[in-house]
Amino acid sequence: MPGSLIDTRQQPLSVGIVGGGIIGVILAAGLVRRGIDVKVFEQARGFREIGAGMAFTANAVRCMEMLDPAIVWALRSSGAVPISIGDHQAEARDYLRWVDGYHESSKRLYQLDAGIRGFEACRRDQFLEALVKVLPEGIVECQKRLQKIHEKNETEKVTLEFADGTFAHVDCVIGADGIRSRVRQHLFGEDSPYSHPHYSHKFAFRGLITMENAISALGEDKARTLNMHVGPNAHLIHYPVANETMVNIAAFVSDPEEWPDKLSLVGPATREEAMGYFANWNPGLRAVLGFMPENIDRWAMFDTYDYPAPFFSRGKICLVGDAAHAAVPHHGAGACIGIEDALCATVLLAEVFVSTRGKSSIVRNRAIAAAFGSFNAVRRVRAQWFVDSSRRVCDLYQQPEWADPQKRIKAENCFEEIKDRSHKIWHFDYNSMLQEAIEKYRHNMGS
Amino acid sequence: MPGSLIDTRQQPLSVGIVGGGIIGVILAAGLVRRGIDVKVFEQARGFREIGAGMAFTANAVRCMEMLDPAIVWALRSSGAVPISIGDHQAEARDYLRWVDGYHESSKRLYQLDAGIRGFEACRRDQFLEALVKVLPEGIVECQKRLQKIHEKNETEKVTLEFADGTFAHVDCVIGADGIRSRVRQHLFGEDSPYSHPHYSHKFAFRGLITMENAISALGEDKARTLNMHVGPNAHLIHYPVANETMVNIAAFVSDPEEWPDKLSLVGPATREEAMGYFANWNPGLRAVLGFMPENIDRWAMFDTYDYPAPFFSRGKICLVGDAAHAAVPHHGAGACIGIEDALCATVLLAEVFVSTRGKSSIVRNRAIAAAFGSFNAVRRVRAQWFVDSSRRVCDLYQQPEWADPQKRIKAENCFEEIKDRSHKIWHFDYNSMLQEAIEKYRHNMGS
């Protein structure tokens, strides 16, 4: 296997990816596998993902397979499904389940069938470690914190300037640098509201409890699967981790205040504080919170809901993933939307590479801008719908009406909407997206 | 990039591919990229493909991309489109064109639009050379001529015995060893008619002429594109090669006799012999033949039409490509059907790999047989239809009625059928095929 599949007989196409997170590295894998010359610039010393869990829809896994089948290999070999949301057999179906967290009955309100292997889960850090092995050596450069982007004119390369005083010259730049994207700040200016995420007025308490305790609080069935407990102005989600020895708890609450410190989204909290928000909820749910450690995390949720980016690309610079559209985590699918972005950008740049072979760099530069313009046109509506929808489903989980006996029927009507929103995410027709993207690219190129 | 993506924490799944031709190597690439342990055993000293041209439909290129995007990179970097059947711009559409070869007018009878990059062409040997670079080191072993396959019982490995006295032990075997497949002989017995291809009673004269001569005989428009000249009991196809400095000619004729020597399908012939078959055809076409060298090739066409294989798999042994279904070349898409096979087999074996992780070798062996059974069910009807259809379109090109003024309208009716047959090949819904294959596999496994 050669270091990279660059054909020396062709004019190379060089892409600089800012950010070595999951989306940046997956995008790099897709581009490298199509013979494109890629560098990933990561600001941290090593890989920056933390040990949190993440899940991918079956649809996102199919997108990964189109990017590079080895990405799916990396997912499945990265510590092997430490989060389980379905049953234990490989062929079992995965379900999302909602439970009444408020009333004594604690009854199941709704369940959504996500199909066989409807979600595949992993730990971020382990997945990223396996992913990096899929790339040839030398693609990722660490300790490269982006300082500035220099765009001269349309016919010249774009220059990335890093905090260590070094530079990189590339044909185009893709910002995959997350919710606090430096590339987004370059596009909109540091003072623009588009350049910064805003507080969603929800935060979460997070902690782990033992499976034994979870079973005593919830019963075996609930403890061993993923459940969302809904109720007035708050909700709680739990799922087993660490080979089902532990259960991960996240309790989300509404917060009318401003978040005090924009730089630190995670802070300390106590079990007692968390329990205060669920004082009138049912005993099982309160028992779960009671089993949490005395000192837990508080985690503020920011997103791009209030100030969605007016465009995802300008010229030869493009944004993907959270850099383009950061959402609150209530659909459990934020990374999946980023993977759709990566697939779209990869197929467009491969088309640029093939359709401009042997042409001048003027044509190629025009082609890159046409491809990124097509990306913007194809991706922005869906991604920004997803940001909105992530807020919306949280509001539905936390309807005040759950506590009102006369309004509970109204509250329960929400599940039809939740199903439709989930299906729109799960059953995305990415082949049509790719076809539309290529057609728009050709149209932009005037052919 | 590791040598191969095998995860040591999982029980490996080992696949032995017999035959290092285009389909065998593409299949290996798809499997390797999904973490499966693959060996390719090739009987020749090096790679055996000859310098003939081959073309792939846009649909087959999409299948390649699903197998491993680097296969498409290999196709496009392998000497770059030495056969041109469309226009010269990267964005131009490709067409198949049929011309009256018999009458003076030499008029265009029909053309079929294959779309943008509808066909991508390359030289077999150059493509194979680039393909092999996509595989990690050590996957392909040359000078391994298969002698025998030893199947003990369902729970043990399959043993391949080679002519050099060595052995290989694998979980399953895929025969990609072409029209004279040794693996097919193993499945049906050496004396079975299923084990051998049969003469289609057509042979071809082949040779090259210069572009200059082609233009003088046919005019610029025809000389620079692919055209099929139809007429009574024969037809002729030509297309530019070698950066349009030469034109490749193949003149196909009917032959009621048996082919004298089954071991040698290519033999010498003379220009005069070829011209004898086209004595009454139009002057342009005769001029083309007159420009051929004095000594040319005669090439007998064999296929599996008369004795189609009753099954493509038995237990842990499976056939793909020409080993399963060899067709005459008149659709120009034989390799495309083999690539569909490779995609189907790859996705099924990846499913076996994932769905039997941590299970016993008894379960895994049963899963392999279930997967190959699904492959047989999904692939055989289409592949054998393709073999039949390849004969059928040749008969239509060579209708005796082309020479009969009162029957020419009837003869021309063939193009509606030719269009339908071409579209069935070009617009194959491989996603539905894969879904059907996985469903049949799960059904076979009883889950």
Side-chain angles (χ1 to χ4, degrees):
Chain A
M1 176 82 234
S4 65
L5 296 171
I6 296 161
D7 180 4
T8 50
R9 285 168 296 190
Q10 283 181 52
Q11 180 192 7
L13 172 62
S14 68
V15 179
I17 297 172
V18 180
I22 298 282
I23 301 302
V25 174
I26 282 178
L27 172 63
L31 293 172
V32 163
R33 212 66 199 145
R34 287 162 177 83
I36 294 169
D37 187 7
V38 180
K39 284 277 183 198
V40 177
F41 303 103
E42 167 55 34
Q43 63 177 6
R45 251 169 218 287
F47 288 96
R48 64 177 174 164
E49 297 289 352
I50 52 171
M54 66 194 310
F56 295 98
T57 62
N59 202 69
V61 173
R62 284 192 293 271
C63 290
M64 288 179 195
E65 185 162 31
M66 285 188 78
L67 279 154
D68 178 355
I71 296 168
V72 180
W73 164 87
L75 176 67
R76 289 176 180 161
S77 67
S78 63
V81 197
I83 309 176
S84 157
I85 66 165
D87 213 324
H88 299 275
Q89 294 158 40
E91 289 303 299
R93 308 181 78 82
D94 286 318
Y95 296 96
L96 296 188
R97 296 184 172 104
W98 288 267
V99 173
D100 183 342
Y102 190 75
H103 296 89
E104 193 80 26
S105 71
S106 191
K107 73 167 181 179
R108 178 180 296 162
L109 297 170
Y110 194 70
Q111 80 172 12
L112 253 183
D113 180 355
I116 295 171
R117 257 179 267 137
F119 284 91
E120 296 194 54
C122 64
R123 269 180 52 184
R124 265 174 198 272
D125 55 346
Q126 290 175 340
F127 181 29
L128 191 60
E129 195 190 319
L131 263 182
V132 170
K133 289 183 194 154
V134 166
L135 293 180
E137 291 283 312
I139 298 285
V140 183
E141 293 192 25
C142 289
Q143 291 185 277
K144 292 287 173 193
R145 178 190 293 269
L146 181 67
Q147 197 84 335
K148 239 181 156 174
I149 301 177
H150 303 277
E151 300 173 86
K152 281 169 203 159
N153 56 51
E154 277 182 21
T155 62
E156 279 183 76
K157 296 218 173 205
V158 183
T159 299
L160 299 171
E161 180 181 346
F162 301 105
D164 64 359
T166 61
F167 297 88
H169 309 283
V170 291
D171 291 325
C172 59
V173 174
I174 300 180
D177 48 347
I179 188 167
R180 301 189 170 285
S181 171
R182 185 83 190 137
V183 180
R184 190 169 71 229
Q185 290 170 14
H186 169 81
L187 285 182
F188 301 114
E190 285 187 32
D191 298 331
S192 165
Y194 303 135
S195 294
H196 305 280
H198 292 79
Y199 187 36
S200 70
H201 294 279
K202 309 274 178 190
F203 64 81
F205 297 100
R206 293 195 302 184
L208 290 167
I209 68 175
T210 66
M211 178 58 78
E212 209 178 1
N213 285 336
I215 291 172
S216 80
L218 297 164
E220 182 112 23
D221 273 9
K222 284 196 189 111
R224 292 202 185 276
T225 54
L226 178 143
N227 287 280
M228 286 172 270
H229 299 253
V230 300
N233 304 310
H235 76 285
L236 182 147
I237 179 169
H238 63 80
Y239 46 84
V241 294
N243 279 324
E244 307 209 2
T245 58
M246 304 294 281
V247 172
N248 191 46
I249 312 293
F252 296 91
V253 303
S254 290
D255 172 24
E257 306 301 317
E258 287 306 313
W259 188 255
D261 180 355
K262 281 196 181 173
L263 290 177
S264 169
L265 302 191
V266 181
T270 66
R271 178 177 61 210
E272 275 59 45
E273 267 179 282
M275 293 188 75
Y277 285 89
F278 295 88
N280 301 317
W281 290 46
N282 69 44
L285 186 128
R286 279 184 288 126
V288 165
L289 291 168
F291 285 126
M292 297 232 282
E294 176 68 45
N295 294 300
I296 54 178
D297 281 343
R298 184 203 312 261
W299 170 40
M301 278 163 295
F302 278 61
D303 65 12
T304 57
Y305 174 84
D306 290 306
Y307 296 95
F311 46 84
F312 284 179
S313 74
R314 189 182 67 206
K316 297 185 283 177
I317 298 177
C318 184
L319 301 171
V320 298
D322 284 2
H325 46 76
V328 288
H330 308 295
H331 273 302
C336 302
I337 306 297
I339 284 163
E340 294 169 11
D341 289 349
L343 178 61
C344 185
T346 294
V347 167
L348 281 166
L349 286 176
E351 184 67 21
V352 168
F353 191 38
V354 171
S355 63
T356 61
R357 59 183 356 190
K359 304 243 169 100
S360 69
S361 66
I362 294 169
V363 172
R364 174 155 283 180
N365 282 316
R366 202 160 64 81
I368 291 167
F372 284 173
S374 169
F375 176 90
N376 174 66
V378 170
R379 293 300 306 157
R380 205 158 58 86
V381 171
R382 175 168 169 85
Q384 291 180 341
W385 169 87
F386 178 80
V387 172
D388 294 358
S389 189
S390 298
R391 288 255 193 143
R392 171 72 178 163
V393 292
C394 185
D395 289 341
L396 294 173
Y397 302 166
Q398 302 192 355
Q399 295 174 84
E401 287 86 344
W402 292 117
D404 179 345
Q406 294 196 296
K407 294 261 180 120
R408 278 185 65 197
I409 297 296
K410 174 185 174 298
E412 287 196 35
N413 283 343
C414 72
F415 291 112
E416 182 69 10
E417 179 176 337
I418 289 169
K419 182 188 75 179
D420 290 343
R421 291 178 179 276
S422 300
H423 283 185
K424 176 162 169 149
I425 297 162
W426 301 352
H427 304 145
F428 179 52
D429 182 356
Y430 49 85
N431 282 314
S432 295
M433 167 188 77
L434 295 175
Q435 200 177 324
E436 192 190 334
I438 294 292
E439 276 163 18
K440 276 203 196 323
Y441 163 71
R442 289 197 179 121
H443 178 80
N444 292 350
M445 286 297 279
S447 69
Chain B
M1 177 82 234
S4 64
L5 297 171
I6 296 161
D7 181 4
T8 52
R9 285 167 297 188
Q10 283 182 51
Q11 181 192 6
L13 172 62
S14 67
V15 179
I17 297 172
V18 180
I22 296 282
I23 301 303
V25 173
I26 282 178
L27 173 62
L31 293 170
V32 163
R33 211 69 198 143
R34 286 161 178 83
I36 294 169
D37 188 7
V38 181
K39 283 278 183 198
V40 176
F41 303 104
E42 167 54 35
Q43 62 178 5
R45 250 169 220 286
F47 288 94
R48 63 175 174 165
E49 297 289 353
I50 51 169
M54 66 195 307
F56 295 98
T57 62
N59 202 68
V61 173
R62 284 192 293 270
C63 290
M64 289 179 194
E65 184 162 32
M66 284 187 80
L67 280 155
D68 178 354
I71 296 168
V72 180
W73 165 85
L75 175 68
R76 289 178 180 160
S77 67
S78 64
V81 200
I83 308 175
S84 158
I85 66 167
D87 213 323
H88 298 272
Q89 294 159 41
E91 289 302 299
R93 308 180 80 82
D94 286 319
Y95 296 96
L96 296 189
R97 296 184 173 103
W98 288 267
V99 173
D100 183 342
Y102 190 74
H103 296 88
E104 193 78 27
S105 73
S106 191
K107 73 168 181 179
R108 178 181 296 163
L109 297 169
Y110 195 70
Q111 80 172 11
L112 255 182
D113 180 355
I116 294 170
R117 258 179 266 139
F119 284 91
E120 295 194 54
C122 64
R123 268 180 52 184
R124 265 176 197 273
D125 55 345
Q126 290 176 340
F127 181 29
L128 191 60
E129 195 190 320
L131 264 182
V132 170
K133 288 184 194 154
V134 167
L135 293 179
E137 290 284 310
I139 298 285
V140 183
E141 294 193 25
C142 290
Q143 291 186 278
K144 292 287 173 194
R145 179 190 291 271
L146 181 68
Q147 196 85 335
K148 240 180 154 173
I149 301 178
H150 303 276
E151 299 175 86
K152 283 168 200 158
N153 56 50
E154 277 182 22
T155 62
E156 279 183 76
K157 295 218 174 205
V158 183
T159 299
L160 299 171
E161 181 182 345
F162 301 104
D164 64 358
T166 60
F167 296 87
H169 310 284
V170 291
D171 291 324
C172 59
V173 175
I174 300 180
D177 48 347
I179 188 166
R180 300 189 169 285
S181 171
R182 184 85 190 137
V183 180
R184 191 169 71 227
Q185 290 170 15
H186 169 81
L187 285 182
F188 301 113
E190 284 186 32
D191 298 331
S192 164
Y194 303 135
S195 293
H196 304 279
H198 293 80
Y199 187 37
S200 70
H201 294 280
K202 308 275 177 190
F203 65 79
F205 297 100
R206 293 196 302 186
L208 290 167
I209 68 175
T210 64
M211 179 57 79
E212 210 178 358
N213 285 336
I215 291 171
S216 80
L218 298 163
E220 182 112 23
D221 272 9
K222 286 197 186 110
R224 292 201 184 275
T225 56
L226 178 143
N227 287 281
M228 287 173 271
H229 298 252
V230 299
N233 304 309
H235 77 284
L236 183 148
I237 181 171
H238 62 80
Y239 46 84
V241 293
N243 279 325
E244 306 209 0
T245 58
M246 305 293 282
V247 172
N248 191 45
I249 311 293
F252 297 91
V253 303
S254 291
D255 171 24
E257 306 301 318
E258 287 306 312
W259 186 255
D261 181 355
K262 280 196 181 173
L263 291 177
S264 168
L265 301 191
V266 181
T270 64
R271 178 177 60 209
E272 276 59 43
E273 269 179 281
M275 292 189 76
Y277 286 88
F278 295 88
N280 301 317
W281 290 47
N282 70 42
L285 186 128
R286 280 185 285 127
V288 165
L289 292 168
F291 285 125
M292 297 232 283
E294 176 67 44
N295 293 299
I296 55 178
D297 281 344
R298 183 201 313 261
W299 171 41
M301 277 162 296
F302 278 61
D303 64 13
T304 57
Y305 174 84
D306 290 307
Y307 296 96
F311 46 83
F312 285 179
S313 73
R314 188 181 68 205
K316 296 186 284 177
I317 299 178
C318 185
L319 300 171
V320 296
D322 285 1
H325 46 76
V328 287
H330 308 295
H331 274 303
C336 302
I337 306 296
I339 284 163
E340 293 170 11
D341 290 349
L343 178 62
C344 185
T346 294
V347 167
L348 281 166
L349 287 176
E351 185 68 20
V352 167
F353 191 41
V354 171
S355 62
T356 62
R357 56 181 2 188
K359 305 242 168 102
S360 69
S361 65
I362 294 168
V363 173
R364 174 155 282 180
N365 281 316
R366 202 160 66 78
I368 291 167
F372 283 173
S374 169
F375 176 90
N376 174 65
V378 170
R379 293 300 306 156
R380 206 158 56 86
V381 170
R382 176 167 168 87
Q384 292 180 340
W385 168 86
F386 178 80
V387 172
D388 294 358
S389 189
S390 298
R391 288 256 193 141
R392 171 72 179 163
V393 293
C394 184
D395 289 341
L396 294 173
Y397 300 167
Q398 301 191 356
Q399 295 173 83
E401 287 86 345
W402 291 120
D404 179 344
Q406 293 196 296
K407 293 261 180 121
R408 278 184 65 197
I409 297 295
K410 173 184 175 298
E412 286 197 35
N413 282 342
C414 72
F415 291 112
E416 183 70 9
E417 180 177 338
I418 289 168
K419 181 188 76 178
D420 291 343
R421 291 179 178 276
S422 300
H423 283 185
K424 177 162 168 149
I425 298 162
W426 300 352
H427 304 144
F428 179 53
D429 182 355
Y430 49 85
N431 282 313
S432 295
M433 167 188 77
L434 295 175
Q435 200 177 324
E436 191 190 334
I438 294 292
E439 276 164 18
K440 277 203 195 325
Y441 162 73
R442 289 196 180 124
H443 178 81
N444 293 350
M445 287 296 281
S447 71

